[in-house]
Amino acid sequence: MNGPQVGHDPLKIGHVIAVEGDTVEVQIGIEDLLLEYHGTTYRVGRLGTYVTIPLERCTLIGYVTRIGAAGELQPGPYPEAPTRITMSVQLLGTVRNDKFTRGVNEYPTLGDPVRLGVDEDFELIFGCFDELAAAGAGSHRKSFAMGRFAVDTDFEVKVLGKEFFAKHVAVMGNSGSGKSCTTAKIVHEALRLPHAQVVMFDMHGEYLSAFSGDDGRPLPNVTYLSDRNLVMPYWMLQYEEFEQLFLDTNNPINVNAQKIFLRAAFEKLKRAAAVDLGLVTEYTIDTPLYYAIEDLKTYADNMNEARFVLNTQNYAFARLPFRQLPTDEQEAMLLSRRMEFNKGNAEGEVPHATFFGKLLGMVNQLETRLNDRRYDFMLRPFEQAHRNADLSARFRREGTPGRLSRNVSMVMSQILGRTNPRRNLTIIDLSGLPFDVVDTTVAVLTRAIFDFNFWSPPEVRQPTLIVYEEAHNYLPRVAKPGRRTFSRDAVEKVAKEGRKYGVSAMVVSQRPSELSETVLSQCNSMVLMRMNNPDDQDYAARVVSDQFRSLINLLPSMRPGEGFIIGDAVLMPMRTLIDLPPRLPRSSDVDFFKMWSQGVPGGDPEQILDRWWRQDRSSARRNANGEREFTRATDPHQAPAFVPEPEILGGAARGADAVADASRPRSLSGAERKLADLAALLAEPPASE
Ligand SMILES: Nc1ncnc2c1ncn2[C@@H]1O[C@H](COP(=O)(O)OP(=O)(O)OP(=O)(O)O)[C@@H](O)[C@H]1O
Ligand SMILES: [Mg+2]
């Protein structure tokens, strides 16, 4: 770094005319805004470029946030150059004894010279950072490369791993600004460490392509879970999450009855597992204890029709001997088998005051979802586990309720990569899930990961990064009317407390202004990419620290893949051309023009309708020529119409495809499918108590 110069200073571009906080106003003293230095011509005053201000004992570094003209302009169509050009500079750091440190504690005054930041300055700054990044080297890596310095691409921008990952990360920018590529690049860098642990919520199914081999299958250290093979048993849901999904709110008169029923039902249904596990006094309706969802439906069906014998506590069952049974035996029957009630008035039967006729909506919701393939991951976990190679051999409906409750540990082991061999990244592809369940899924799994680390002894705790793509969809700033925000609550908890327990969040969003402020304001590291929307800019300006606020003005000018990296992980805000990852996420952009000019084969409408009914969004299979193929499925002897490609099922699931397909033949009608499901259920070995 050149110290204060006497006489002509070739890099001097102006002098200080005002200082306000960390912002300095500079009057530019060179006429055509061009500066020749060591054979290179620099344009002075470009936004985002850097300047230095030499003081007595140190040199300040700042970047240009505004440039403008003031003074007399000549009237007429061809005004002469303005008489005074000024620019604003945001101070970022100080160089003292050839060491760069963040922040400023000595300020310039009027008339101090201002110089253009050039290679030598950057060399010093990047050199200091390299020293920091290499400190204690030999033991382990301290930093990773993000890309090239946009102002001078000779320099590589590195990021301190500890600071970056431990303090939550936000990647924000317009659609198409390069967030997904940046996210893939960051995760790719994390995966270079042998014990990295990343769980990714992928809204649009974009990331498998970034973490798969040439054959489209997930890399060996990647678990890919989608609606086809993710297992998240319904008993992991907390009471309110369950309530939100299954309560029928169409008729307000029935809502209360359903709530009372559900609470009472959970209390009763979870009791068996609680007894098994010795949790009788500890368990609540939120404790993730196994119960059979079929029993819940049976109980609801029964209570919806329940009647009592007049002036007694006895249920008025149609079969007279059942009426005489003690209440607890009657209750046990109601929980486990479909009962018939006397509909006449033989003994003066009275309908159940709270439940009678009020539970039908909820029963229908339950039934509809039990029959909807897209909910299998949650409501039919044992069947779904057939499609999941890690779980298929062990996650079975066998054993006591206590044993079945413990199955959750297998789910957690898979999500946290504790598989054999160990895996470092779990992609949870939410694109095939019904939208109403995305929020719940993110909430349940986030909470599970947090709780898992919270209850782990510190010496065995595995630091985990959770990536939330398109986070504004499920971490909203303002909740939709009538909707709870379970995932927001869970992620806010991670944002506030996760650091202590080794859980870090990375939120990726194109609409920061619609994103939870609590989550965003806890993000210490940010990658700010092109951002044009004023609401988003204002909001981003609110959540970044004062020092970086002026930088927001520069965001509309960024190119795709260009971002400001700010936070403790870098020495100063680094305008960076972010490197592309080795394999790109699948872009959701549709090239209309190309497809319209080259043509697409187009699907068979009957096949598409069939997929629609079956809620199957997997790819069509390829024929010998590698072309996607749509096979008619009307002939039962023919192969299933759509064989999910490995890219859809994921490596973990391939071995189990045949089992999955056998349990739910593709070409059956809805009614036949239900029968087949029933047969499969009956064929399951009975749970041994
Ligand atoms: N680092 C980069 N270098 C060069 N080009 C890039 C870079 N990152 C992204 N791009 C280009 O921008 C396009 C969009 O990138 P990407 O899909 O990551 O954007 P996005 O912000 O995630 O968009 P969306 O909000 O729609 O998901 C890419 O297809 C690529 O062509
Ligand atoms: Mg994206």
Side-chain angles (χ1 to χ4, degrees):
M1 182 79 42
N2 302 325
Q5 307 265 321
V6 187
H8 176 69
D9 177 351
L11 284 174
K12 181 173 168 186
I13 54 174
H15 62 272
V16 175
I17 52 170
V19 182
E20 191 182 340
D22 285 343
T23 309
V24 173
E25 202 67 10
V26 177
Q27 176 161 348
I28 294 184
I30 47 175
E31 269 182 12
D32 50 5
L33 296 182
L34 291 177
L35 190 112
E36 283 283 324
Y37 184 68
H38 286 183
T40 309
T41 307
Y42 294 92
R43 278 191 68 75
V44 171
R46 280 189 309 146
L47 296 188
T49 54
Y50 294 76
V51 300
T52 67
I53 306 177
L55 305 180
E56 282 283 305
R57 289 183 299 272
C58 64
T59 300
L60 306 179
I61 309 282
Y63 67 86
V64 179
T65 58
R66 184 200 63 84
I67 179 136
E72 294 290 310
L73 290 177
Q74 298 277 331
Y78 305 108
E80 288 182 4
T83 50
R84 202 163 75 129
I85 301 173
T86 61
M87 64 184 186
S88 304
V89 167
Q90 173 74 42
L91 297 177
L92 295 172
T94 310
V95 175
R96 189 173 277 123
N97 302 327
D98 282 352
K99 287 267 180 271
F100 177 85
T101 48
R102 188 201 302 265
V104 176
N105 47 25
E106 228 173 290
Y107 288 87
T109 188
L110 299 187
D112 280 347
V114 176
R115 314 172 74 232
L116 187 72
V118 286
D119 276 11
E120 297 116 78
D121 306 311
F122 301 138
E123 257 161 36
L124 190 141
I125 294 168
F126 281 89
C128 286
F129 189 80
D130 284 347
E131 265 175 45
L132 204 65
S139 50
H140 60 90
R141 277 177 58 199
K142 290 273 188 341
S143 65
F144 65 94
M146 273 289 273
R148 316 301 305 183
F149 188 42
V151 178
D152 187 335
T153 50
D154 286 347
F155 295 94
E156 185 173 55
V157 175
K158 292 198 193 107
V159 174
L160 293 175
K162 178 180 164 192
E163 284 70 11
F164 192 76
F165 287 115
K167 295 185 180 174
H168 309 307
V169 187
V171 179
M172 300 187 284
N174 282 358
S175 182
S177 59
K179 299 179 300 297
S180 298
C181 293
T182 302
T183 305
K185 161 74 180 163
I186 293 169
V187 173
H188 171 78
E189 288 298 327
L191 296 194
R192 287 154 70 115
L193 302 175
H195 304 286
Q197 199 56 57
V198 183
V199 178
M200 196 172 209
F201 290 105
D202 179 5
M203 268 306 277
H204 297 311
E206 288 176 273
Y207 285 93
L208 179 61
S209 71
F211 298 101
S212 54
D214 291 335
D215 57 359
R217 298 177 178 201
L219 296 171
N221 64 341
V222 175
T223 305
Y224 173 72
L225 301 173
S226 69
D227 58 317
R228 305 286 304 162
N229 62 343
L230 169 68
V231 176
M232 188 190 83
Y234 54 87
W235 64 91
M236 289 176 83
L237 269 63
Q238 288 194 342
Y239 168 75
E240 288 188 342
E241 290 158 352
F242 196 93
E243 185 189 277
Q244 167 129 326
L245 280 178
F246 295 101
L247 222 58
D248 170 36
T249 49
N250 286 328
N251 189 347
I253 297 170
N254 297 344
V255 168
N256 230 11
Q258 294 175 43
K259 287 185 176 181
I260 296 168
F261 168 79
L262 264 187
R263 284 182 176 272
F266 279 147
E267 173 94 27
K268 289 178 181 145
L269 288 164
K270 290 185 172 186
R271 171 163 283 271
V275 170
D276 256 2
L277 296 167
L279 299 173
V280 183
T281 51
E282 288 96 341
Y283 89 100
T284 69
I285 50 172
D286 285 332
T287 313
L289 293 172
Y290 170 79
Y291 61 95
I293 195 137
E294 296 79 6
D295 288 350
L296 176 69
K297 186 176 165 303
T298 305
Y299 190 38
D301 268 331
N302 284 335
M303 297 314 285
N304 187 56
E305 295 170 6
R307 293 163 187 265
F308 291 108
V309 177
L310 189 63
N311 296 330
T312 73
Q313 293 294 308
N314 284 2
Y315 288 97
F317 294 127
R319 291 185 58 185
L320 288 178
F322 292 159
R323 294 189 175 201
Q324 315 306 329
L325 292 172
T327 315
D328 54 344
E329 281 183 41
Q330 288 194 332
E331 282 283 347
M333 290 170 95
L334 287 167
L335 280 165
S336 55
R337 54 192 268 197
R338 192 70 175 91
M339 302 301 292
E340 210 178 313
F341 292 86
N342 200 2
K343 294 194 182 72
N345 224 2
E347 288 185 56
E349 292 86 355
V350 286
H352 194 296
T354 316
F355 300 142
F356 188 83
K358 299 208 169 113
L359 305 180
L360 197 61
M362 190 179 70
V363 170
N364 287 342
Q365 299 256 51
L366 256 170
E367 186 164 295
T368 311
R369 286 178 184 163
L370 277 166
N371 287 324
D372 187 337
R373 189 194 71 68
R374 298 172 304 159
Y375 292 88
D376 281 4
F377 78 100
M378 182 170 78
L379 299 181
R380 296 178 179 273
F382 300 105
E383 290 81 351
Q384 179 88 338
H386 289 312
R387 292 189 269 259
N388 183 316
D390 289 331
L391 305 182
S392 59
R394 297 176 302 137
F395 194 100
R396 296 182 161 270
R397 199 194 295 255
E398 276 168 16
T400 61
R403 175 79 207 83
L404 290 167
S405 303
R406 286 190 185 281
N407 278 350
V408 168
S409 69
M410 295 178 211
V411 172
M412 291 312 297
S413 298
Q414 184 181 45
I415 288 178
L416 292 172
R418 297 174 181 212
T419 45
N420 192 12
R422 200 189 173 314
R423 304 202 197 99
N424 305 97
L425 169 65
T426 307
I427 299 173
I428 300 175
D429 178 348
L430 303 170
S431 62
L433 259 50
F435 197 74
D436 63 349
V437 91
V438 166
D439 178 51
T440 316
T441 306
V442 175
V444 169
L445 297 178
T446 298
R447 197 172 55 234
I449 295 168
F450 179 87
D451 286 347
F452 195 86
N453 267 25
F454 182 85
W455 295 108
S456 298
E459 62 279 9
V460 299
R461 201 174 275 152
Q462 171 86 39
T464 303
L465 171 73
I466 316 180
V467 181
Y468 300 95
E469 244 285 353
E470 303 278 350
H472 52 277
N473 285 310
Y474 45 89
L475 309 179
R477 183 150 71 120
V478 182
K480 292 204 181 84
R483 298 292 296 181
R484 300 286 307 273
T485 51
F486 301 115
S487 51
R488 187 178 77 182
D489 299 346
V491 181
E492 285 182 352
K493 186 161 185 193
V494 167
K496 285 189 277 196
E497 297 173 41
R499 223 147 60 80
K500 284 182 256 166
Y501 307 105
V503 187
S504 191
M506 175 158 145
V507 290
V508 184
S509 174
Q510 51 170 290
R511 294 309 311 262
S513 59
E514 292 171 12
L515 203 60
S516 155
E517 192 160 358
T518 310
V519 173
L520 216 50
S521 59
Q522 295 287 333
C523 293
N524 180 288
S525 295
M526 293 197 179
V527 183
L528 300 173
M529 313 197 72
R530 190 178 66 234
M531 206 184 287
N532 292 326
N533 181 315
D535 287 346
D536 292 330
Q537 289 175 5
D538 289 350
Y539 191 61
R542 278 216 332 254
V543 292
V544 298
S545 65
D546 291 351
Q547 206 194 1
F548 304 138
R549 207 147 286 169
S550 50
L551 178 152
I552 304 293
N553 301 332
L554 308 181
L555 298 182
S557 62
M558 312 279 259
R559 289 162 282 180
E562 190 179 3
F564 263 108
I565 305 174
I566 62 178
D568 292 344
V570 282
L571 269 188
M572 58 180 192
M574 289 286 180
R575 188 166 182 163
T576 307
L577 300 174
I578 294 162
D579 287 340
L580 284 171
R583 296 184 72 94
L584 299 184
R586 196 183 51 162
S587 171
S588 47
D589 292 351
V590 175
D591 188 342
F592 279 68
F593 249 53
K594 183 171 165 203
M595 290 167 88
W596 284 349
S597 57
Q598 297 182 350
V600 226
D604 172 351
E606 271 193 52
Q607 291 294 329
I608 292 170
L609 194 58
D610 193 49
R611 284 160 65 88
W612 192 345
W613 287 334
R614 284 185 287 103
Q615 303 283 308
D616 180 359
R617 293 185 62 219
S618 57
S619 307
R621 73 173 177 177
R622 291 177 200 273
N623 63 19
N625 302 325
E627 294 155 353
R628 298 209 163 192
E629 187 180 51
F630 290 83
T631 320
R632 294 296 295 271
T634 41
D635 177 0
H637 301 293
Q638 238 177 320
F642 299 96
V643 179
E645 286 188 313
E647 72 183 56
I648 297 299
L649 278 177
R654 277 186 305 280
D657 294 359
V659 185
D661 287 340
S663 71
R664 181 163 286 176
R666 295 289 169 79
S667 52
L668 297 183
S669 70
E672 285 169 325
R673 205 177 79 187
K674 276 189 198 168
L675 280 173
D677 283 348
L678 197 62
L681 268 178
L682 293 173
E684 289 260 335
S688 51
E689 298 302 312

